[in-house]
Amino acid sequence: MTSIEQKEADPEIPDLIVDNTTGTTYVKGRFFGKGGFAKCYEITDTKTNKVFAGKIVSKKLLLKSNQKEKMMQEIEIHRSLHHDNIVQFYGFFDDPNFVYIVLELCRKRSMMELHRRRKTLTEPEVRYYMRQLMLGVLYLHEKNIIHRDLKLGNLFLNDDVQVKIGDLGLAARIEYRGQRKRTLCGTPNYIAPEILNKKGHSFEVDVWSMGCIMYTLLVGKPPFETKSLKDTYGKIKRCEYRIPTPLRRSQQAVMMIMSMLQGEPSKRPSVKELLNHPFFSCGYLPPSLPVSSLTMTPRFDVIENEDALLRKPLTELNSGANHRLATPGKGPSSSPSVTRVPPARNMHEERLHHMHKIVIQLMKVNPQIVLDSPAEDQSDPALQPLFWVSKWVDYSDKYGFGYQLCDDSVGVIFNDCTKIVLLQDQQNVHYFEQNGIESYYTKTNTPSHLEKKMKLLSYFLRYMTDHLMKTGESVQRDCDRLSRIPYVTFWHRSSKCVLMLLANGTLQVNFMDHNKLIICPLMQAVTHINEEKVFRTYSLETIEQKGCSRQLLGCIDYVKRKLRSLISLENDKLGH
């Protein structure tokens, strides 16, 4: 087949998408990813400038009658739903080549990406997410709809970090009381035993899946996960899973999980009963969470101290797969807004741990294919970083290294190896001593010995932005105070680049030719920003298998060499 014939066979999605039934025109924007039959893009209404997610399916994939029927059933069910915790359906239309579904845009991706970045969550976070999930599922069940594919990848997050249940491709209506569905469907790690046993299933399968989700969020992996599908299905049928020792300390969480993961469907509680479970009332349930919680553990010590709860705060510091429990000590002030947290581990060792992890991953990337221009759908936007350095200034000949993150928070690494960060709300201040001990203040409640450093922070901020810092106090939300951003913990400058390591393990390398790399070892992905500021994220596995541009390959090779050199220097410091 010639290239012309191939183009005719596979028409491209147009840049301007027109709904002829309403006259609405959408501009196709960023590619969000693909899955199953569909590709997803950001689309913007040209009249209102409102932004949506466009789920786009080629009609060539809907040639069989059952495929059309399945898609129309998904549309029919989804368009009937209106709930805060379900992705909003806005409409659908088609043209000769594609079917377009217009949906609510969830910019913070799915909870699968949250899981990959954080591994395990704290109990307050699990209460927050599970309650919203259950409210959405309760709404579905009250409308006689079973979702049948509840999993982390189908739970989306909007800008306010609110749960939105999506992808109703396997959803089904219960037409009459006692009806049991018999279709074999679901995702292996979340599928209920009655589906595998083909005994017929109903609403209880969603309760089972929520039990698997809750276990995964608290433990870091699904309860029945094995290396083979056969073994996983065997464990599900036998209802065979283990409660790890750390989780056993949380009695109400264990009881709730066990109530959902029962082999006999009739023994599982209803969603309404689950919402009244003591797990939701036995500890703090945050009304909101900061965006930073998608990559760093929130600071629940602040809220718990203020509420005088008589239990240890769950401020589990998170970095990769290493989870430590930290308890706040007394700060320099008796104010409840001041907390001191001991360092998680030796800072040099922490730095080496992150660098080693990145080098090991990059060493496996040796693509045999060099591409002039990688295809758009070769990228994986779901893996793109949440935080990166948007501006930096090197004033280390006098004071230190200043930077601004993409969320407008600002930090400085001083020449004495202390660090200070002013969060996006321009009220909360985090200070890190040379040994890594963290102290938390508000801007109006910093100790006198930090006065000079606060002034220098303001100086760096003025230098990096076009306007002065805002004066006056802003209204603080709980999620602002809970935030713990991935500050820059280490930097290095050479003649070719500036290298910056963030506290969550992300490595950013800004080359002097204006190319940039952002490497996330947790997502095993690399983001390349070229001179034209084109922003593309690729999984390392995709680069290895399908190749990459010569420019990106050169950047990766340089970073490998530079990191090995820095690791050697760090080892010399430690006397290894």
Side-chain angles (χ1 to χ4, degrees), residues 395-537:
Y395 205 178
S396 55
D397 61 335
K398 275 197 172 184
Y399 304 118
F401 182 84
Y403 60 91
Q404 189 171 52
L405 294 181
C406 58
D407 72 336
D408 293 332
S409 54
V410 179
V412 179
I413 302 178
F414 294 105
N415 288 342
D416 65 0
C417 295
T418 60
K419 306 174 187 72
I420 198 165
V421 176
L422 177 66
L423 269 59
Q424 179 188 28
D425 64 0
Q426 299 206 352
Q427 296 300 318
N428 283 284
V429 177
H430 294 185
Y431 180 68
F432 304 83
E433 299 173 26
Q434 290 97 330
N435 57 8
I437 290 179
E438 303 175 37
S439 300
Y440 301 106
Y441 310 96
T442 57
K443 191 171 65 174
T444 56
N445 186 32
T446 52
S448 57
H449 71 272
L450 291 184
E451 184 179 350
K452 182 179 179 182
K453 289 180 178 178
M454 286 296 294
K455 287 181 178 178
L456 288 171
L457 176 71
S458 298
Y459 170 78
F460 275 101
L461 177 58
R462 285 197 300 270
Y463 187 89
M464 289 185 291
T465 58
D466 297 327
H467 54 83
L468 297 176
M469 290 178 65
K470 292 180 181 177
T471 57
E473 295 292 326
S474 61
V475 177
Q476 286 191 323
R477 304 169 298 166
D478 280 349
C479 62
D480 291 328
R481 293 179 293 163
L482 296 177
S483 189
R484 178 188 277 119
I485 65 165
Y487 61 94
V488 175
T489 184
F490 169 80
W491 70 283
H492 170 83
R493 186 174 181 180
S494 70
S495 59
K496 288 190 175 182
C497 71
V498 173
L499 180 148
M500 295 160 283
L501 182 67
L502 275 61
N504 63 354
T506 297
L507 179 76
Q508 180 169 334
V509 184
N510 288 19
F511 292 92
M512 297 306 173
D513 63 2
H514 302 297
N515 273 278
K516 299 177 181 65
L517 283 194
I518 305 172
I519 303 166
C520 179
L522 294 173
M523 306 302 280
Q524 297 187 41
V526 58
T527 296
H528 180 215
I529 308 170
N530 65 17
E531 305 96 318
E532 286 78 39
K533 297 184 179 178
V534 176
F535 196 110
R536 291 277 176 85
T537 300

Side-chain angles (χ1 to χ4, degrees), residues 317-431:
L317 295 176
N318 182 298
S319 178
N322 303 288
H323 310 286
R324 283 85 50 181
L325 198 67
T327 54
K330 292 181 179 179
S333 162
S334 60
S335 167
S337 65
V338 179
T339 304
R340 300 190 76 213
V341 179
R345 65 159 93 175
N346 180 283
M347 295 179 70
H348 285 296
E349 290 181 2
E350 186 81 4
R351 189 181 305 160
L352 282 170
H353 167 76
H354 290 314
M355 289 182 179
H356 271 299
K357 193 171 186 177
I358 293 170
V359 168
I360 289 169
Q361 290 182 5
L362 294 184
M363 290 298 289
K364 296 177 182 177
V365 180
N366 295 293
Q368 303 302 309
I369 306 170
V370 178
L371 304 168
D372 291 332
S373 180
E376 181 182 53
D377 60 5
Q378 192 169 311
S379 65
D380 194 341
L383 305 181
Q384 69 185 35
L386 294 169
F387 290 89
W388 62 87
V389 177
S390 58
K391 299 178 182 179
W392 61 270
V393 56
D394 178 6
Y395 205 178
S396 55
D397 61 335
K398 275 197 172 184
Y399 304 118
F401 182 84
Y403 60 91
Q404 189 171 52
L405 294 181
C406 58
D407 72 336
D408 293 332
S409 54
V410 179
V412 179
I413 302 178
F414 294 105
N415 288 342
D416 65 0
C417 295
T418 60
K419 306 174 187 72
I420 198 165
V421 176
L422 177 66
L423 269 59
Q424 179 188 28
D425 64 0
Q426 299 206 352
Q427 296 300 318
N428 283 284
V429 177
H430 294 185
Y431 180 68

